[in-house]
Every structure is written in C-alpha cells, then in structure tokens.
Amino acid sequence: MTLNTTGIVKSIPIPTAITKQTIRFFWATLLILSISASISFAQITVSGTVTSAGDGSTLPGVNVLEKGTTNGASTDNEGHFEIEVSGPDAILVFSYIGYVSQEVEVGQQTTLDVQLQEDVEMLEDVVVVGYGEQDRKTLTSSVSSVNSEDIQNTPVAGSDQLMQGRAAGVQVSSNSGTPGGGIFVKIRGTTSISGGSDPLYIVDGVPIETGNFGLDLGGATTSALADIDPSDIESIEVLKDASATAIYGARAANGVVLITTKRGDDAAPSIEVSSYYGFEEPVNMPDLVSGSEFEMLMNEAARNNGEAEPYANPQNATNTDWADPVFRTGTIRNYDVTLSGGNETVKYSISGSNFKQDGVVKPATYKRNSARVNLDLNATENLTVGTSLTYSFSNRNRARNNDNITGVLGGVYFLPPNLPYYQEDGSYTKFSIFENPIAAAEEVDFNMDVNRFVGNVFGEYEFFPGLTFRSSWSYDYNEVKEDRYDNSLTNGGAAVNGDALSTVALTSNWTGENTLSYLYNTGNHNFSTLIGTSYQESSFERTTATGQQFPSDDFQRIEDAAVQTASSTGTSWGIASFFGRIKYDYDRKYLATITLRRDGSSRFGENNQWGTFPSIALGWVPSEEEFFNVNWISNLKLRGSYGITGNQSGINNFQAQGLWGGESYTDSPGTSPEQLSNPNLKWETTSQLDIGFDLGLWEDRVTIMYDYYDKQTKDLLLAVPVPMSTGFEELVQNFGALENKGMELAINADAIQRDDFNWNVQFNIAGNRNEVTRLASPFNVYNRDIYRYQEGYPMYSFYFHNQLGVDSETGEPIFEDVDGDGSFNPNSDRKIVGDANPDFFGGITNKFNFKGFDLSVFFQYSYGNDQLNWNRFFQEHGGTRNTSYLSSQLDRWQEPGDQTMVPKMTSSNYAGNLRPSRFVEDGSYIRLKNATLGYTIPDSFLSKLGFNISRARFYVTGQNLLTFTNYSGLDPEVTATATTQLTRGIEFYTMPQSKTIMGGFDITF
C-alpha cells in the first residue's frame, strides 16, 4: 500500500485470486468491527446524587471511583456528582467515612441516585484528636478512649476520676477522700521535677485552667475539674504519644486530655431525667489503742527509761474513741435534666444538674449546681455556627486534714484516748498544740465558693467540598471566694480572740484559634491537611484580708477585727502559636502523619521565647494487603511515631526576668530585688518514641492495642544553686534530665454475643519506669528530708534508715551500715529504700447483658508501689511523746525471743533523728471500684403506660466496695502532700476514700 502526500490511499494492488465477493465481504466485516469498537470504547457520562439512607440528607465529599482505575470524582455540597466512565461495564465505588462502601454497575444508566448505609461500627470508632476527628482504622497515634457508656452512673465529683483504671497508661490517684478534692493524673509517668506535671485539658475545644485555686490546708487541695458535671460528658480521649500531642506543642509534654460533652442530634426533641441517691461509709477507720492500752504502754515506756510510771490503774482508764464523733455516714445525690434534639438546620443539647456530697469526716461537704448549652446551627448552605457554654456554682465546706497535725484527723490520731471529749464545765478538752477534733470539725467555718464559666463560640465556612475554615473563640473564667473563721473555742482562735481570713482569687483565660482544613481524595490516595494559629492569654489576681481580736464570735467580718491586714497579688502570661498537620493514607493500608507546631511564650527569656515541636508517625495495615489471608485476623495495624513536645508550666510567669518587689525600710516605702534574670531560660522538652500495634481478631470481637514508649525529658526547669555573691541562693535554669520508659496493653473482647445474652471484657495494664538521669546535685525534700532526688533513681524515692529487723535478745532496732564503716550512724547511714511509682497498674471491667438486665463489675489495681504510712512515725513513737498510739505499737518487743519489727519502748530506740524504713510499706492493691446492676423496662411495657416514655432504666451501684491490700493505713491510693508535686505515695492524717452504695434511674421522654 502506498500513500500520497495528503495521506489518502492512492492504490491497492489486488491479487488475482481474490474475487469481488471476497472484497465486499472484507469491507463489510471491517465496517462492523469498527462500529463495535467505537461503541465499546465510547466514554459515558454518569451523574447523580448521594444521600444517607438513614435520614435522606445529601452527603458532600463522597468519594466516587471507577473500580480498577484512578478515575474518580467527589460529590459537591448538595451531594451531586458527575464522572466520565469507560463504558457500560464500568463499576462505580462510593465511599464515605462513617458509611458502608457501595459498588454500582453503570450498565446503560446515565443517572445514578445512591443511598449509603451508616457503618455503625465505624461511627463508634471515630476518635477525637487535636482540632478534629479521625477514623481509628487509619489512626497512627496512641490514643485511649473512655466513652459515656463506660462511665455512666459513676458517683464522682470530677471528670478526671473517670479515667482511673479505664485508660491504659493513665495513672489516676486521689489527694484524699475529701469531696471535690484534688486528683493526680499522670500520663506515661511524670515528665518534670519542679515544672508542671498535669496534662493539658481541653473541654469542647477550650483549654481550661486546672490545679488548685484554693488556699492550702496542709496538703489538702481542690480539683478544678470538679466544676464540670461528669453526666454531661460524651467521651474522654487521652492523647499519649508525641504524634497525638505535638499539635499542642509547648503544653503537651504531660499528655493531653480531650473532653467532649454531649451535643444535639437530628432527632425529635427528647427529655432525659436522671438521678441517684446513696450513702457513704469510710473504707477503713483509724486503728488506735484504747485508753487502757495507752496508759499501759506509757507505763512500760517509763519503766524501760528508768522513770516513774505515770498511771496507777490503766485498767480503769477512760476509753475515748476520738474518731467516733467526727466520722459519719455521708450522703451523695445528683439530679440531671437534659433536653436535646434538632433537625437539619439546628441541633441543641441543654442540661442542668444539682450535686451534693457529704464527706465521711466532718465537716467536709461539696455542692455543685451547673448548666450547659451546646448549640449547632447551619446558618447557610456553607456556614455553620455553634457554641458550647457551661456555668457552675459550687460550695465546699472545707476541713483541715491531709498533712495537718492541727486538723480534724490530726486530733483523732494525736489526742490520748484516756481524755474525755469535754471537761466538766462543758468546754472542749485541750491537749498541747493539737486541736480537739470535735472543735476542729464544729468550731471552724471554712467555706469556698466557686463561680466557673467555660464557653466558646465558633464558625465554620466550607468554601467547596473538603476545604473548611473554622474560627473559635473561648473563655474560661474562675472566681474563687474563701472565708475562714476560727472562733475563740479553738486553739488558734482562742490565742488571738478569733482569727479570720477572706480571699478572692480570679483567673481568666481566653483563647482565639483559626484553622483551615482540606480533605482531598484521588483514587486510593487520601489527604487530610490542617493549618492554624492560636493565641492564649491568662491572668490571675488574688486579694486577701485577715483579721484578729474580735469583740465576740458573733462578729466574724474582718471589719469588726481590731487587727487587720491585707495584701494583693497578680500575674499573667500569654502564648502565640502556629501549627499544621498533614495526614495521608493510600488505600487505607499505608499511613503517615506529620505535625509541626511553633510556640512563643511570655514565660521564657528573650533569647528563647520561641520553640518548635515536630512529630512524624507511620503506619502499615498488613491485613488490607492481598497476600494477607489469615482469616481469623480481621485487622492488623503496625504503627510508630517520634516527636518532641514542651512544658512551660510549674514556674513563675516572669521567671526569666529580674524582678523587683515592694519592700518597707524603717516604715518607708521602697523596692528590693526578688529574683535574678535568666534571658536563656526556655522550655522543658520531651522527645518520645512510640512503637505499637492494633490487632483485631474474629471480625474484631477481640481487639488488642499494645504500645512501647521511650520518653526523654531534658532542660528541666530547676532551681540551681548560685554563688552567694549574687545575693540569692538559687536561680531557675534549664538543667537536668528525666526518662520514662514503659509499655501499655489494652484488650477488649466480646466473649459472648447472643440475642439475649452478651458478655464483654475490657482489660488494660501499663508499666512505667521513671529515672532521674541528670541533676546538678542530689537534694532532699519534705518533712525530715524523707524524699530524695538523685541521679540513677526514680522520682518519689523514699530516703530512710534501712531497718533490717529487731534484735530478738535486746529489743533494739537493727539498721543497715550503709557506708560500711563498721557502725551505724543516723547522720550518714541513710539510703533510698523504695519509691511510690507502681511497677504496673490498670483495670478490668466485665459487662453482662441478659434481656433487660445489665451488670458491670470494674476492678482497678496498682502493683509494686510503695506507700509511706507517715502516721506510724508519729503514732508508733515508743513513748517519746505523750500522744496516742496506733495499734501497731502493741506488736513491740517485750522480752528476749520476741520476733518483731517494732523495737523495745525506750527513748533511744525511737530517737527523733531516726527514720526507720518499716514505715515504708507495700502499697499494692486491687479494688472493686464499681459494681452496677441495672434493669431497662421493655418498650412493650412502656408503651402501655401512656406517659410517652421511650426509655426507663433503674439501677443500684457501689463504689470502692472491696479493697485487697497488705497496706496497714486507711487508703493505699491517697497522697496527702498535694501542695508539692515532689512527693507522692504518703498518708499523713488523710481523709480516706469512702465506700458508696446508691440507687438511681434514667428516664427519657
């Protein structure tokens, strides 16, 4: 065949053997094949709308992909799509987060209207993360979740207590059993020595102020999180690794807790009414000697010291139980009402609650009234606005307990049991410097009122599918007013004829945040990007007035005092931030997340005001690979992350600057320097490596999450000694290092799934190893230097004389010769004998459902933690004091051959410079934290009542029902000395936690 220059066929030589009929047949066949080919390869344009099968609403951003190709599109704001496909044999795959993917064969259709079914399991597995939500299937971070079903009907005052034993790697312990009292939360160990160690709390997007805003009462503190009604909480997410927390940068080294409250839904209005009422008893009571035993022990000590016996007839002694009049059966009650509902335009959830709890030791009481409004409004097709507002008013009747020898419990332990409650004239029995516990409970008025407002307003504008701008402005306001009056019947009040104090503390915290997010899908490639800015400013003010010398106890206002003083203080800080995150996955198999935040803080020196905090996380889902054919493994995801976070808390707001303060000199006003400047002061930084996996077995009936982590904290904010020539003893510098290494394991198993019976098991365990890796020099803290900080040892290490036993022949204590010089010297032979950190801790929950009945049994445990029973040091005194004894004193050595750890009662064996290690006990415990039995009335019966009740459930529940421990004190969990974060694991005249039995109901109309 030849062609001319125009490309037209010029001539075709025809073989002579080919006939005309053959030629005609050839051209006809070629024509038919050409037509068929043109039909087969002609592209078809397909359009349509995608809606939700549940409510018929259109779905924007649905991924529409031609199967087997990279040809794809997505739906617009009205759920509409348009795509060109290869032909009628094409198959379109519709996928959308939270919905079951659907495949549709095109055929001869040019219009397709598709309804997607909600994926219930996926919707339940959406995780709240920083500035958004993510599907747990593609999550590359380590996040523990606690949902409302896990924590419903739990009688606690604060939301921080709800995490105890339910979130792997989160150690929660109580300051005491005081209602509304302080709670300690540590996520993957303590990452700072003197800097702040509490996690960052975010409530509905609002970073809230936490900590103790009340006056110190020994070691007793209050919990700012008690201002949030636990019944309002929908979920709690704990962000643990650097990939999850780096988005919060300089405030995230201690982890982040995201609390989400309940919001409205596209449903008819409903009213939920719930209430519970119960009684509380102390888990344990003080184990003290009787009056007769007290006099017998005092006589024995006198004899052994060569002194005259002070009591002639111990058997006839008065036997006073000082605990009886101040311990009580407490009550706890709560009322909640919630109105919720909505439609496509507006969704709302409005609630109100009333809570009251009486402590088991007088006069401690906590009362709270709160209200919440959550509102979401679709103002236009592209604009959504909303708000979350919470207000609470609470009142605490506070008691001097915890690390306080003149408080209620101090009097219970110290006053001898051979003294009566009252004297013959009806006055309180007085004893040394210790307060009569009845007077401490009845004659001291100490009230704390808190007004708390936490709220935000936000707006979201979607420019086009996937691209959304969000602006949020929030405010956290906390007003604390405290009034205390010690009347003339108390020791302190009698000395000054009435002692009063009044203080008002105001904390305000506002935050402005703006983010731009973009979701983009093309083929199997899925991108999620976020950039944002944040600015936060916080201020604190306190005004205090005191008064003494009142005309009588009927006048308690400070204006009535003859001696009056007043003071005021205030401070503020601010932080500005820029942040971004990119999340990518390919076909939900290969995952990556990159985060970067840059923070500038007013707290640090001019040379280091800005810090950068990056993180990266990678994941692989082998179970999504074609070669993976292990049928009983439904999901396997491997993930790892590394990142850096910071810590700016725990120091003064202007710690980097040289400050001057007011000072008087010979009654003339003046100023004086208060601290040295340090322009190089910067953040503590924590780098964290996390390696873990998520495993699902048998269609995810069993899920397992495991993590190993290594956290290294450097540039600790520590007060380091400086030369005295500076005029100061120390300067806060970046010096020192810590490490925390550990593992976490969480298992969730649906052991039995039947139509009328279900059994679910949730188990978690975590272990953390803490070590101080760098210090300028060792140092001791607290009463009698009983805690020591030293390189190579963990925080909260106990520093004692290591008691090896008691000489069975002489009754003298045997102590370790630590320095090996051949003799024991109390001044040099001390050592670290243990620490308050547990080897591992966690919880286990069993849930059963049988027809309308439900049963939940939750155990919480801690193993390997040492607990210091500091009460024993003062009440196992061997007669060196004239105060009461613990019953453990009865186990003393009395004659040759006795085997005991309590030495003979002589002054030399209980000298004030001895710190025997026998008071450091094994604090391991397992506690039946909660057990609940409920019954939900069948719908068929409710429909007959005619009250339009859609759900009704009644239940009984118990809290702290059983505790299994070898610890001899009142509570192995509490820490009395909450005013310093350098101490943990010590009981010192601490109100124990209570055992609660209560009943309640939930009814929805």
Side-chain angles (χ1 to χ4, degrees):
M1 182 176 70
T2 60
L3 299 178
N4 62 12
T5 56
T6 63
I8 304 297
V9 177
K10 184 178 181 181
S11 64
I12 300 177
I14 301 175
T16 57
I18 300 178
T19 63
K20 292 182 178 179
Q21 289 81 2
T22 304
I23 294 173
R24 292 190 188 101
F25 177 78
F26 171 78
W27 283 110
T29 303
L30 184 61
L31 179 62
I32 293 171
L33 291 173
S34 299
I35 295 173
S36 299
S38 64
I39 295 174
S40 300
F41 291 96
Q43 289 188 326
I44 299 174
T45 300
V46 180
S47 62
T49 303
V50 182
T51 58
S52 171
D55 56 13
S57 61
T58 57
L59 298 177
V62 175
N63 191 31
V64 184
L65 178 69
E66 183 178 355
K67 189 174 182 179
T69 73
T70 58
N71 178 33
S74 61
T75 59
D76 59 18
N77 289 337
E78 297 178 351
H80 183 75
F81 72 94
E82 185 174 299
I83 185 173
E84 289 187 350
V85 297
S86 58
D89 293 334
I91 296 175
L92 291 179
V93 181
F94 297 82
S95 60
Y96 191 59
I97 292 178
Y99 288 79
V100 178
S101 296
Q102 187 176 150
E103 296 184 1
V104 180
E105 185 174 353
V106 173
Q108 300 302 319
Q109 305 174 86
T110 58
T111 301
L112 289 176
D113 291 329
V114 177
Q115 287 188 330
L116 295 184
Q117 299 285 342
E118 290 186 354
D119 188 338
V120 176
E121 292 184 1
M122 182 177 290
L123 288 175
E124 292 177 348
D125 223 11
V126 172
V127 181
V128 178
V129 296
Y131 303 100
E133 296 179 341
Q134 291 184 14
D135 173 17
R136 190 177 285 278
K137 293 287 186 181
T138 59
L139 184 68
T140 55
S141 306
S142 179
V143 179
S144 289
S145 300
V146 180
N147 59 47
S148 58
E149 293 182 358
D150 296 329
I151 57 182
Q152 65 180 348
N153 310 321
T154 302
V156 295
S159 55
D160 40 11
Q161 296 170 269
L162 299 174
M163 295 181 287
Q164 188 176 39
R166 293 184 171 92
V170 182
Q171 184 185 4
V172 180
S173 57
S174 300
N175 173 212
S176 70
T178 302
I183 301 294
F184 307 112
V185 177
K186 297 291 177 286
I187 300 175
R188 293 185 168 181
T190 305
T191 57
S192 181
I193 291 181
S194 59
S197 60
D198 292 333
L200 172 66
Y201 290 90
I202 309 289
V203 180
D204 289 333
V206 182
I208 66 170
E209 292 285 349
T210 58
N212 178 41
F213 297 111
L215 295 174
D216 294 336
L217 284 179
T221 64
T222 59
S223 171
L225 283 174
D227 299 326
I228 299 172
D229 180 12
S231 301
D232 285 337
I233 294 175
E234 180 67 28
S235 67
I236 300 175
E237 262 78 28
V238 183
L239 313 186
K240 298 182 290 187
D241 71 337
S243 175
T245 60
I247 197 71
Y248 293 104
R251 298 169 294 166
N254 300 313
V256 181
V257 177
L258 304 179
I259 299 175
T260 303
T261 61
K262 298 174 181 177
R263 307 194 74 85
D265 200 357
D266 188 357
S270 66
I271 299 177
E272 181 180 358
V273 180
S274 62
S275 178
Y276 59 75
Y277 185 89
F279 299 94
E280 299 185 325
E281 297 283 353
V283 173
N284 280 315
M285 293 289 289
D287 188 13
L288 298 162
V289 298
S290 66
S292 298
E293 291 169 332
F294 169 79
E295 293 188 359
M296 177 266 293
L297 290 171
M298 293 300 288
N299 284 348
E300 181 178 329
R303 289 195 305 271
N304 292 338
N305 289 328
E307 302 168 354
E309 295 183 1
Y311 299 106
N313 298 300
Q315 64 275 13
N316 297 326
T318 298
N319 290 298
T320 299
D321 182 357
W322 287 106
D324 183 66
V326 296
F327 276 79
R328 65 183 176 186
T329 298
T331 59
I332 183 171
R333 63 163 173 78
N334 187 65
Y335 307 107
D336 272 295
V337 178
T338 302
L339 170 65
S340 62
N343 50 43
E344 293 184 6
T345 303
V346 61
K347 299 176 178 64
Y348 56 89
S349 178
I350 305 170
S351 69
S353 71
N354 175 272
F355 176 85
K356 183 175 185 286
Q357 182 181 12
D358 295 324
V360 294
V361 177
K362 297 176 182 178
T365 300
Y366 176 68
K367 295 180 285 187
R368 181 190 62 230
N369 294 291
S370 64
R372 174 185 56 87
V373 176
N374 284 351
L375 183 67
D376 300 278
L377 173 66
N378 295 325
T380 68
E381 182 179 338
N382 298 85
L383 177 64
T384 300
V385 296
T387 185
S388 297
L389 306 174
T390 298
Y391 170 77
S392 69
F393 172 78
S394 62
N395 170 265
R396 291 173 174 86
N397 191 2
R398 304 186 68 188
R400 285 192 181 95
N401 286 315
N402 298 28
D403 192 9
N404 196 312
I405 63 175
T406 62
V408 179
L409 283 178
V412 169
Y413 278 91
F414 276 105
L415 264 67
N418 64 341
L419 298 179
Y421 298 139
Y422 306 97
Q423 297 299 296
E424 292 183 358
D425 61 1
S427 63
Y428 292 108
T429 296
K430 302 288 187 180
F431 177 74
S432 185
I433 63 172
F434 308 106
E435 191 70 77
N436 183 302
I438 305 174
E442 302 290 346
E443 306 300 340
V444 178
D445 294 321
F446 200 157
N447 279 280
M448 176 180 179
D449 293 333
V450 179
N451 281 283
R452 186 75 178 269
F453 172 81
V454 178
N456 76 339
V457 293
F458 65 88
E460 287 186 352
Y461 187 83
E462 186 176 44
F463 294 96
F464 54 82
L467 182 64
T468 304
F469 173 76
R470 178 185 174 97
S471 182
S472 174
W473 299 86
S474 61
Y475 188 60
D476 177 12
Y477 176 81
N478 195 16
E479 177 189 271
V480 179
K481 181 178 182 296
E482 293 181 276
D483 293 290
R484 189 206 73 213
Y485 184 77
D486 291 57
N487 68 32
S488 59
L489 299 179
T490 64
N491 288 348
V496 293
N497 204 33
D499 187 13
L501 177 147
S502 182
T503 179
V504 176
L506 303 177
T507 303
S508 62
N509 182 351
W510 70 267
T511 307
E513 294 180 325
N514 297 284
T515 60
L516 184 66
S517 60
Y518 183 52
L519 303 177
Y520 177 67
N521 303 319
T522 174
N524 292 326
H525 301 274
N526 303 300
F527 294 89
S528 171
T529 61
L530 172 80
I531 58 174
T533 64
S534 175
Y535 183 81
Q536 182 178 355
E537 184 175 318
S538 179
S539 63
F540 172 80
E541 298 178 13
R542 184 190 294 277
T543 301
T544 301
T546 63
Q548 296 178 344
Q549 301 296 338
F550 287 83
S552 78
D553 291 330
D554 295 328
F555 298 87
Q556 299 184 4
R557 292 285 185 181
I558 292 177
E559 66 177 357
D560 299 318
V563 179
Q564 302 176 16
T565 61
S567 65
S568 66
T569 185
T571 186
S572 63
W573 61 271
I575 185 170
S577 311
F578 304 91
F579 54 88
R581 178 175 61 212
I582 299 176
K583 186 176 184 295
Y584 166 78
D585 76 79
Y586 175 77
D587 200 22
R588 298 172 65 85
K589 290 187 294 188
Y590 310 109
L591 319 171
T593 304
I594 299 175
T595 305
L596 181 68
R597 182 163 179 138
R598 185 161 173 79
D599 288 314
S601 174
S602 65
R603 284 180 167 170
F604 296 106
E606 58 185 10
N607 298 334
N608 289 296
Q609 281 200 318
W610 288 88
T612 302
F613 306 95
S615 76
I616 183 171
L618 301 174
W620 176 41
V621 189
S623 56
E624 294 292 323
E625 300 284 2
E626 292 184 2
F627 64 77
F628 194 90
N629 57 2
V630 183
N631 295 331
W632 52 278
I633 296 180
S634 49
N635 176 57
L636 174 60
K637 178 173 63 177
L638 308 178
R639 48 184 168 77
S641 68
Y642 178 82
I644 298 173
T645 51
N647 185 11
Q648 66 156 5
S649 61
I651 62 171
N652 295 333
N653 290 332
F654 302 97
Q655 193 72 64
Q657 303 177 19
L659 297 181
W660 288 64
E663 191 68 59
S664 62
Y665 179 73
T666 64
D667 296 329
S668 299
T671 61
S672 65
E674 292 186 347
Q675 68 182 33
L676 293 172
S677 65
N678 182 1
N680 295 316
L681 194 67
K682 61 182 180 180
W683 333 83
E684 295 181 348
T685 56
T686 298
S687 61
Q688 181 174 184
L689 171 69
D690 183 280
I691 300 173
F693 67 82
D694 301 334
L695 178 63
L697 308 176
W698 301 291
E699 299 300 324
D700 286 352
R701 283 190 60 178
V702 178
T703 59
I704 301 172
M705 289 189 293
Y706 174 84
D707 285 90
Y708 168 81
Y709 61 87
D710 184 342
K711 297 172 65 176
Q712 301 291 330
T713 304
K714 65 178 183 178
D715 297 328
L716 295 179
L717 296 166
L718 287 176
V720 179
V722 295
M724 293 299 293
S725 59
T726 63
F728 294 89
E729 295 182 355
E730 57 189 21
L731 173 67
V732 174
Q733 303 179 34
N734 293 108
F735 194 97
L738 276 172
E739 75 171 18
N740 288 275
K741 296 180 179 180
M743 70 86 194
E744 300 163 357
L745 175 66
I747 301 174
N748 189 320
D750 291 319
I752 298 177
Q753 285 183 320
R754 295 180 181 174
D755 293 338
D756 59 353
F757 180 70
N758 294 301
W759 174 23
N760 173 264
V761 181
Q762 299 173 8
F763 170 78
N764 70 81
I765 185 172
N768 181 76
R769 300 294 179 268
N770 173 278
E771 182 181 334
V772 178
T773 56
R774 187 186 182 206
L775 277 181
S777 60
F779 64 91
N780 305 327
V781 296
Y782 192 62
N783 188 323
R784 292 168 170 79
D785 292 338
I786 57 176
Y787 288 88
R788 184 169 178 83
Y789 281 74
Q790 182 175 326
E791 287 185 6
Y793 290 89
M795 296 180 64
Y796 318 130
S797 291
F798 297 114
Y799 190 50
F800 279 75
H801 299 113
N802 187 27
Q803 184 178 343
L804 304 176
V806 169
D807 189 313
S808 62
E809 295 302 315
T810 65
E812 295 181 357
I814 303 172
F815 293 102
E816 180 182 354
D817 176 16
V818 176
D819 58 16
D821 63 358
S823 62
F824 170 70
N825 184 343
N827 297 320
S828 58
D829 287 328
R830 292 174 73 180
K831 64 181 292 187
I832 292 175
V833 298
D835 63 271
N837 302 288
D839 293 335
F840 57 84
F841 58 92
I844 180 170
T845 303
N846 283 275
K847 296 181 180 180
F848 305 90
N849 294 89
F850 177 69
K851 296 184 177 180
F853 292 94
D854 61 270
L855 173 64
S856 173
V857 181
F858 167 49
F859 285 91
Q860 178 256 332
Y861 62 89
S862 178
Y863 178 83
N865 55 293
D866 291 312
Q867 181 82 356
L868 175 58
N869 191 344
W870 202 222
N871 298 349
R872 287 182 60 190
F873 177 81
F874 292 94
Q875 261 60 61
E876 199 176 288
H877 55 76
T880 55
R881 306 181 183 93
N882 58 351
T883 57
S884 186
Y885 297 95
L886 281 168
S887 292
S888 57
Q889 186 72 74
L890 298 174
D891 296 328
R892 74 226 178 267
W893 183 96
Q894 297 181 71
E895 58 185 27
D898 285 350
Q899 301 293 324
T900 180
M901 287 292 288
V902 183
K904 178 181 179 180
M905 297 187 65
T906 61
S907 298
S908 60
N909 292 339
Y910 296 85
N913 59 348
L914 290 175
R915 311 286 182 269
S917 62
R918 69 176 183 271
F919 305 135
V920 179
E921 304 182 23
D922 178 12
S924 304
Y925 69 91
I926 181 169
R927 174 169 282 167
L928 178 52
K929 198 70 178 180
N930 183 271
T932 301
L933 175 64
Y935 179 71
T936 302
I937 299 176
D939 294 342
S940 58
F941 181 81
L942 292 176
S943 62
K944 299 177 182 179
L945 297 179
F947 294 108
N948 197 29
I949 299 176
S950 59
R951 183 178 182 272
R953 177 176 178 267
F954 296 84
Y955 62 90
V956 292
T957 187
Q959 186 87 348
N960 298 322
L961 295 175
L962 295 171
T963 301
F964 304 94
T965 182
N966 291 324
Y967 178 65
S968 67
L970 298 185
D971 194 335
E973 180 187 327
V974 298
T975 287
T977 59
T979 51
T980 169
Q981 72 165 33
L982 296 175
T983 60
R984 287 293 182 271
I986 176 173
E987 180 182 345
F988 191 26
Y989 311 125
T990 312
M991 184 186 298
Q993 295 189 83
S994 58
K995 176 168 59 179
T996 305
I997 303 292
M998 68 180 197
F1001 64 84
D1002 296 304
I1003 298 177
T1004 303
F1005 297 89

